[in-house]
Amino acid sequence: MFENLKNPPPDSLLALIKAFQEDRRAGKIDLGVGVYRDDSGRTPVMRAVKEAERILLETQDTKAYLGPEGDVEFVEALQAIIVGHYAPNIRGLQTPGGSGALRLGAELIAAARPSSRVWIGAPTWPNHGPVFQAGSATVAWYRYFDVATQTIMFNEMMEALSTAGRGDVVLLHGSCHNPTGADLDLRQWTEIAGLVAERGLVPFIDQAYHGLGRGLDDDVAGLRVILDAADEALIAYSCDKNFGLYRDRTGALFVKAPNAERADIIANTMANLARPNWSMPPDHGAALVRIIFQSDDLLHSWSSELVDMCARIRDVRQAVAGIEPRLAFLVDQRGLFSNLALSASQVESLRSRHGVYMAPSGRINLAGMRISDAGRLVAALNDVGALNPTL
Ligand code: LMR
C-alpha cells in the first residue's frame, strides 16, 4: 500500500528550523520561522505564563475530558479582548492553534456552502492555501502587495473582490500581515467593510499576532469595523505568538451569525466537525490563558511583557532602517515580518555565504534577530546585491 506514496517536498518554512540548528557558524542569523526572540536570542516563556503554570500545577485536580468546545472560559475571555464584551450572536470553539481554527473554518464553509470561494490575498502565509484546500474549500486569489515597491495594491484588491459572488469568503490578516508587515489602515478596512456589506461577502480574519503590531486595541480596530458591517464573519485566533505558547497549540475559531438561532446551529456544527478531526482540543495552553485572564496581576504582567516585545521588534526595525535608508519601509511595517524583494539565488547566497536564514520568498522575521546583528545583516544584503536601489 505505502509503496504508492511519493516523498512530499519539505515544508519550506519548517525546513529552516533544522537547517539553522545544524549550521555551526557562530554569527548565523535566524530570520526564518515566525518565532519571537528576545535580544539574547531566546524565545522566553512569558512571566505570566510561568506563573499560570505554577497555579495550574497546584490547582488542577483532574485531566478528564472537557468536551469538543474545549475550555469555555478561555474562549469567552479571548472573545472579550477581540470583539469587546457586547458581541451578540458570536460563538467560539477552542482549536489546536490558529491553524486548527483556519482548518475548522474551511470545513465549516465547505459544509455550509460548497460553492463559496475563499479569496486569499497574495503574498500570504504559505500554509493558507493548503489549509483551505485540505478543508475542501475552493480558493481564489487576489493581489495584496507588491514586494518590489513595498506597496499594498489596494485598488487591485478592491477590483478583484468586486467580482466575488454573494457568500464568497474574503481572508484578511487582522494585524501584522504575514509575510509583508503591511497592514490595512482604518480607512481601507472601512472601504472593505462597505464592499463586504454591499456584496454579501463573508470576512474571515486570521488574527495570529494580536498585540504585536500597534497594541491590543489597535490591532483589532479593523476587525471590529468589519465585524460591525458583516452579518456573518469568521475569526481564527492564535495564542502562539502573543502568549508565546507555540508548541502548546492554543487557539480558537469564532463565528458571527445573523441571529441567535443560527449561531447555535453553527456552534453545534463546529463541535461536530471538530470531533472527527481532533475530537477535543489540547488543554494546557488554554488553561494557562484562562488563568491569566482570571487574575488582574497576571493580566497586567502579560500585557506589559507584550508591550515590551512589541517595542523590541520596533527597535530592531529602526536599527536596520537606520543603517540602510533603502530599508526605511521596515519602520512603517508592523509585526514580526517584512518581505524583501530577493531572488531565490540571493536568499541562497545569504544562507551559504553569510549564515543568514530566511524563507525562500525573501520574508524576514525581524523578531528573530538581535539589534546588534543589524549591521551584519545590512552588509550581507549589500554583498549579495540584494538592496533594490529604487526602494
Ligand atoms: C510562520 O509563519 O513562520 C509561523 O506562523 C510558523 C508556521 O507555522 O509557519
Side-chain angles (χ1 to χ4, degrees):
M1 163 193 196
F2 297 123
E3 67 275 10
N4 295 326
L5 286 179
K6 303 248 175 339
N7 229 352
D11 182 283
S12 62
L13 273 176
L14 302 188
L16 287 171
I17 300 178
K18 196 156 172 273
F20 184 79
Q21 280 167 353
E22 286 171 359
D23 190 329
R24 295 277 155 246
R25 285 173 286 183
K28 60 186 181 176
I29 301 177
D30 187 3
L31 309 177
V33 178
V35 168
Y36 174 86
R37 296 208 183 84
D38 62 21
D39 209 46
S40 67
R42 282 178 51 258
T43 300
V45 179
M46 293 178 81
R47 290 186 299 273
V49 167
K50 258 293 179 231
E51 179 58 15
E53 280 185 318
R54 193 189 59 73
I55 295 170
L56 186 66
L57 190 66
E58 277 172 14
T59 57
Q60 190 174 53
D61 54 9
T62 178
K63 289 199 180 276
Y65 292 127
L66 281 177
E69 61 282 355
D71 187 321
V72 174
E73 281 180 60
F74 155 79
V75 173
E76 284 170 2
L78 278 191
Q79 180 172 322
I81 60 161
I82 305 167
V83 297
H85 286 277
Y86 175 70
N89 307 328
I90 294 183
R91 300 289 183 272
L93 179 130
Q94 188 194 324
T95 56
S99 302
L102 289 165
R103 174 65 185 260
L104 191 69
E107 292 190 17
L108 186 68
I109 292 161
R113 195 198 274 245
S115 60
S116 284
R117 289 173 295 176
V118 177
W119 290 77
I120 305 181
T124 194
W125 181 48
N127 210 20
H128 270 146
V131 167
F132 279 99
Q133 277 152 352
S136 302
T138 307
V139 169
W141 294 92
Y142 63 89
R143 189 157 173 246
Y144 178 74
F145 187 79
D146 180 54
V147 173
T149 56
Q150 294 291 314
T151 323
I152 295 178
M153 307 304 286
F154 189 67
N155 291 341
E156 234 181 272
M157 168 180 174
M158 292 297 277
E159 269 171 38
L161 295 181
S162 308
T163 69
R166 180 163 288 276
D168 273 3
V169 175
V170 184
L171 182 72
L172 298 159
H173 298 225
S175 64
C176 309
H177 187 271
N178 180 3
T180 71
D183 288 339
L184 298 164
D185 63 28
L186 261 193
R187 187 190 53 78
Q188 291 168 324
W189 278 104
T190 309
E191 271 193 56
I192 298 172
L195 185 76
V196 157
E198 181 195 312
R199 297 197 63 80
L201 307 179
V202 181
F204 192 153
I205 319 291
D206 186 359
Q207 189 72 52
Y209 297 88
H210 187 194
L212 286 160
R214 290 175 170 78
L216 281 171
D217 278 333
D218 285 352
D219 282 356
V220 288
L223 177 156
R224 288 177 179 178
V225 167
I226 217 153
L227 215 61
D228 276 349
D231 278 347
E232 298 179 324
L234 299 94
I235 302 165
Y237 193 92
S238 169
C239 299
D240 286 13
K241 329 280 165 157
N242 59 354
F243 285 87
L245 286 170
Y246 307 90
R247 63 176 73 162
D248 284 326
R249 312 309 303 139
T250 311
L253 177 68
F254 296 91
V255 181
K256 177 182 176 185
N259 55 54
E261 192 192 343
R262 196 80 57 79
D264 289 339
I265 294 173
I266 291 169
N268 292 334
T269 309
M270 287 196 288
N272 188 260
L273 291 170
R275 177 70 168 143
N277 267 312
W278 48 77
S279 188
M280 283 163 273
D283 177 64
H284 187 74
L288 302 178
V289 173
R290 168 177 47 76
I291 289 170
I292 291 172
F293 278 107
Q294 284 167 341
S295 151
D296 287 346
D297 286 349
L298 291 184
L299 199 50
H300 179 261
S301 161
W302 168 68
S303 56
S304 57
E305 194 168 350
L306 190 61
V307 168
D308 293 345
M309 289 159 66
C310 207
R312 190 187 104 73
I313 302 174
R314 269 203 307 277
D315 289 349
V316 172
R317 290 180 172 280
Q318 257 151 15
V320 178
I323 295 171
E324 177 47 71
R326 282 173 291 182
L327 296 175
F329 58 85
L330 295 178
V331 176
D332 300 325
Q333 297 170 352
R334 287 290 179 277
L336 278 63
F337 308 116
S338 286
N339 204 154
L340 304 182
L342 302 179
S343 66
S345 72
Q346 286 169 325
V347 171
E348 174 46 36
S349 300
L350 283 162
R351 183 189 312 194
S352 56
R353 301 220 298 255
H354 299 280
V356 175
Y357 284 73
M358 64 183 66
S361 61
R363 185 192 82 168
I364 55 173
N365 169 25
L366 290 136
M369 62 183 271
R370 297 176 170 91
I371 290 189
S372 56
D373 287 336
R376 280 196 309 115
L377 172 63
V378 170
L381 290 170
N382 258 316
D383 180 60
V384 301
L387 292 171
N388 180 345
T390 62
L391 288 178

